[in-house]
Amino acid sequence: MPNTPPAPSAITVPPAARHAEGVSNDEFRAAMSRLAAGVVLVTAQEPPLDPDDPGAPTGEDVGMTATAFLSVSLDPPLVLVSLRTGARMDELLDEQPLWAVSVLSESQRHIAGRFAMRGRVSDRLLFADIPYTRGEYSGAPLVGGALATLECRTEQRVPAGDHTLVIGRVLTARVPSAEGGPLTYFRGRYRQLG
């Protein structure tokens, strides 16, 4: 047939890798990688090992790079972050209701990459040379030079497949830096606008 348009290209995957609905993990990842997303650092502070003993060691700061973060509601102010079920941040936010978010700028790609590493040894080392302040409500690190920072309190946790959707009420929202553009994630890489 001379006027038949070419079929759209598709990723071919062996049938065993397909879900019952017909889409494979690779097809889904490829499609979703075409959605540009902002990059944030989600942080929280572990509770003290013994809350009744003021001399007990404080908990460690924990951080995680996230691209699945969005605004949910203006009244009340709510945000949502998607965490892999069983990840350290998922387990921590199950017991610690206070957490923070730093919206990373295009010059903070190194921070995003550092906290996205799998199998890292200690978050203490990851925070060592990053300038930050502590949130007044959460006590969590707020990254210096971030485009915006928010402190949140968990309102709801929703299991969703292999992730947990954590909805947080925003307790503080600040715009400490107006310099530079946002760091984005597109087609599997960190990118800058423009």
Side-chain angles (χ1 to χ4, degrees):
M1 299 176 80
N3 292 335
T4 304
S9 63
I11 297 172
T12 56
V13 177
R18 292 186 176 275
H19 297 279
E21 292 82 15
V23 66
S24 72
N25 290 350
D26 289 342
E27 289 168 332
F28 182 66
R29 274 192 202 99
M32 295 312 297
S33 75
R34 276 29 177 213
L35 176 65
V39 182
V40 302
L41 183 67
V42 179
T43 57
Q45 188 177 52
E46 289 179 329
L49 297 176
D50 184 357
D52 298 327
D53 179 3
T58 59
E60 189 173 274
D61 292 323
V62 178
M64 182 199 88
T65 302
T67 56
F69 175 78
L70 58 102
S71 168
V72 173
S73 167
L74 182 62
D75 186 16
L78 299 174
V79 293
L80 178 147
V81 65
S82 179
L83 307 173
R84 187 174 41 81
T85 303
R88 184 171 184 200
M89 187 63 74
D90 178 43
E91 291 174 354
L92 176 55
L93 295 190
D94 194 29
E95 64 178 274
Q96 165 61 282
L98 298 172
W99 44 284
V101 174
S102 298
V103 179
L104 299 180
S105 73
E106 60 195 359
S107 66
Q108 294 177 315
R109 178 184 300 202
H110 64 289
I111 295 172
R114 180 182 295 189
F115 285 91
M117 291 187 308
R118 294 186 186 272
R120 56 189 195 239
V121 179
S122 166
D123 282 38
R124 182 175 295 121
L125 298 174
L126 300 180
F127 281 107
D129 63 348
I130 296 174
Y132 65 86
T133 58
R134 291 214 173 267
E136 61 184 295
Y137 292 101
S138 66
L142 302 170
V143 176
L147 296 178
T149 61
L150 304 115
E151 288 184 274
C152 307
R153 182 184 66 237
T154 300
E155 293 276 306
Q156 189 176 359
R157 292 173 54 87
V158 181
D162 58 2
H163 277 63
T164 303
L165 306 179
V166 179
I167 300 170
R169 180 180 294 256
V170 178
L171 305 174
T172 66
R174 296 198 169 58
V175 183
S177 176
E179 298 300 315
L183 182 61
T184 59
Y185 193 72
F186 180 70
R187 295 185 74 174
R189 292 181 37 207
Y190 297 115
R191 300 179 188 260
Q192 299 174 350
L193 291 181

